[in-house]
Amino acid sequence: MKRILSGIQPTGSINLGTYLGSVKNFVKLQDKMPDYEFFIFIADLHAITIHKDKQFLRKKIKELAALYVACGLDPEKVNLFIQSEVPAHSQMQYILQCNAYMGELERMTQFKDKAKKQEKGVTVGLFSYPTLMAADILIYDPDYVPVGKDQKQHLELTRDIANRVNNKYNDIFTVPEPLIAEIGAKIQSLTDPTMKMSKSDPNDKSRIDMLDPENIIKKRIKSAMTDSIGTIKYDPENRPGISNLLTIYSVITNMSFKDIEKKYEGIGYKDFKEDLGEIVYQELKPIQERFNNLINSEELDDILDKGRDRANQVASIKVNKLMDRVGLGRKRR
Ligand code: TYM
């Protein structure tokens, strides 16, 4: 069976960017591609590349699991699991690290951006992060990896590592393709539309979190940065603010930019933002209701146990196979 895999870090609350750029896409794919086996995980090992308080991390792992399901991921169709509960990811990472070069990791833009912000020094984990991501992916032989635009470079590195290891060890990995949505793959910050909406942005006003209450959702949209032109037109180069809001509108309603522009001809930002605030709220409200029912339920643990068991089954076979090809330990098969 062909496979699709993706993950999200439990570093903060999921925001509208992560939801529209990735989770909403997973939900569409699970229904559109029933012939594929899905692996969607909580990338908790990635979250500790920058120190996190223990209680905070545990809470965020659980919240992300509940949000995945609340957003519509169907545990019958998707193996949902926590990365650290599948030890083969770390084993695989080590072998891949021995097949990755310092120079290529130093070129990763996300590493450069994050490293700049570290006051207490940059951990080796932050540096080698893309090799863990490559391990997460290659261990399951997925054909497709749905991600937002910011992960494209990591996917390219994963493909390079896969080809390198395939050449050395006789075609062991499927070389995966990124699956990047045409619209919504990069939702921008509400306060600086030239930057990505990010859970690590210290300015809360820059984003909408999935669990934000109605008044905050509407306030954030109302105060989103636009420009002084005042017309509703998609022009990301010259008018990134209004274009970002149009993107959010389009991904949620499935309306094309042209149709939205036509609908708001002669109408100003105030009314457009009021409508968009309501649209975002109506999208998040049922998700929040499902989240509240799930967060303390046993159902969530059962889903994660089932996902963990299936992931371990697939991953341990793969890592053992690679260890054999490399010549590690005694022959297992
Ligand atoms: P993370 O946790 O930063 O983001 C999760 C997913 O959401 C997408 N995304 C966005 N899309 C559109 N607009 C935005 N503003 C926005 N912000 C985030 C990201 O592109 C991503 O798809 N390293 C990964 C997690 C990971 C992973 C993997 C993903 C670990 N291993 C293996 C795929 C396969 C990360 O930090 O994503």
Side-chain angles (χ1 to χ4, degrees):
M1 200 178 194
K2 291 181 160 199
R3 298 196 181 121
I4 290 182
L5 167 134
S6 199
I8 297 180
Q9 284 193 57
T11 37
S13 302
I14 298 197
N15 62 59
L16 196 65
T18 312
Y19 170 66
L20 297 179
S22 84
V23 186
K24 201 169 163 67
N25 215 11
F26 303 160
V27 176
K28 275 192 204 148
L29 291 171
Q30 78 178 359
D31 297 326
K32 226 172 60 184
M33 298 170 100
D35 299 338
Y36 285 74
E37 182 175 21
F38 280 72
F39 290 88
I40 303 284
F41 66 95
I42 295 155
D44 59 344
L45 291 171
H46 283 269
I48 63 166
T49 51
I50 295 170
H51 175 74
K52 300 280 166 331
D53 170 73
K54 174 181 164 181
Q55 308 296 342
F56 174 85
L57 183 59
R58 280 268 154 77
K59 182 165 174 268
K60 292 297 159 190
I61 291 171
K62 203 146 179 230
E63 274 183 18
L64 179 51
L67 266 172
Y68 270 142
V69 180
C71 289
L73 281 185
D74 178 351
E76 294 297 318
K77 295 182 182 161
V78 173
N79 299 301
L80 193 63
F81 67 97
I82 302 173
Q83 182 188 31
S84 65
E85 295 184 1
V86 183
H89 286 239
S90 311
Q91 292 172 287
M92 181 66 93
Q93 182 194 12
Y94 179 72
I95 302 177
L96 298 188
Q97 271 178 1
C98 297
N99 288 277
Y101 295 100
M102 301 282 285
E104 56 192 356
L105 292 181
E106 276 162 0
R107 279 197 294 276
M108 295 293 110
T109 52
Q110 204 164 77
F111 168 70
K112 288 192 272 191
D113 290 348
K114 287 192 176 170
K116 257 189 256 158
K117 292 180 193 148
Q118 302 313 306
E119 281 160 12
K120 292 190 186 151
V122 177
T123 66
V124 177
L126 187 64
F127 182 65
S128 63
Y129 169 118
T131 60
L132 178 59
M133 184 157 160
D136 299 336
I137 297 171
L138 298 178
I139 210 164
Y140 296 95
D141 283 318
D143 298 85
Y144 298 112
V145 181
V147 283
K149 248 186 215 153
D150 62 332
Q151 296 300 323
K152 197 164 167 246
Q153 195 184 33
H154 292 157
L155 253 293
E156 278 159 9
L157 179 68
T158 299
R159 287 168 57 85
D160 290 346
I161 294 175
N163 282 319
R164 196 171 298 148
V165 175
N166 278 349
N167 285 335
K168 259 197 202 168
Y169 301 114
N170 194 13
D171 285 344
I172 189 156
F173 293 134
T174 300
V175 182
E177 296 283 341
L179 211 58
I180 297 174
E182 264 170 49
I183 306 172
K186 196 164 180 223
I187 301 293
Q188 307 292 60
S189 151
L190 298 176
T191 45
D192 176 358
T194 60
M195 306 271 290
K196 169 182 95 156
M197 183 183 285
S198 164
K199 47 196 161 200
S200 55
D201 191 325
N203 184 358
D204 287 348
K205 293 193 178 116
S206 67
R207 66 180 161 262
I208 290 173
D209 285 333
M210 294 301 285
L211 301 175
D212 277 343
E214 178 177 1
N215 64 329
I216 297 285
I217 295 173
K218 293 186 171 172
K219 207 156 89 187
R220 297 273 191 266
I221 299 275
K222 204 169 151 194
S223 60
M225 186 189 261
T226 43
D227 50 43
S228 54
I229 300 174
T231 54
I232 312 300
K233 193 124 195 74
Y234 184 72
D235 178 2
E237 288 259 306
N238 302 309
R239 302 179 58 195
I242 186 64
S243 301
N244 189 38
L245 297 183
L246 273 161
T247 303
I248 295 171
Y249 197 120
S250 168
V251 182
I252 297 179
T253 61
N254 274 326
M255 277 173 77
S256 68
F257 294 132
K258 280 266 151 311
D259 285 346
I260 306 170
E261 284 169 3
K262 214 188 277 163
K263 181 171 174 185
Y264 288 95
E265 233 168 48
I267 295 174
Y269 291 151
K270 186 172 170 287
D271 291 340
F272 173 77
K273 284 177 164 179
E274 248 166 45
D275 284 3
L276 182 59
E278 185 62 25
I279 285 168
V280 174
Y281 170 62
Q282 290 302 333
E283 175 84 1
L284 301 196
K285 191 173 145 202
I287 294 175
Q288 294 181 355
E289 282 165 8
R290 282 197 295 270
F291 173 90
N292 289 331
N293 292 332
L294 268 164
I295 188 69
N296 290 318
S297 71
E298 275 180 26
E299 190 191 342
L300 197 58
D301 275 324
D302 293 344
I303 293 169
L304 292 169
D305 286 351
K306 190 169 139 257
R308 174 202 59 203
D309 292 348
R310 175 65 184 146
N312 267 310
Q313 195 182 29
V314 174
S316 61
I317 292 173
K318 191 73 183 187
V319 81
N320 282 334
K321 194 166 164 188
L322 181 59
M323 282 167 77
D324 266 352
R325 297 253 179 117
V326 175
L328 291 167
R330 281 174 290 163
K331 189 154 174 56
R332 268 162 284 256
R333 62 180 72 224

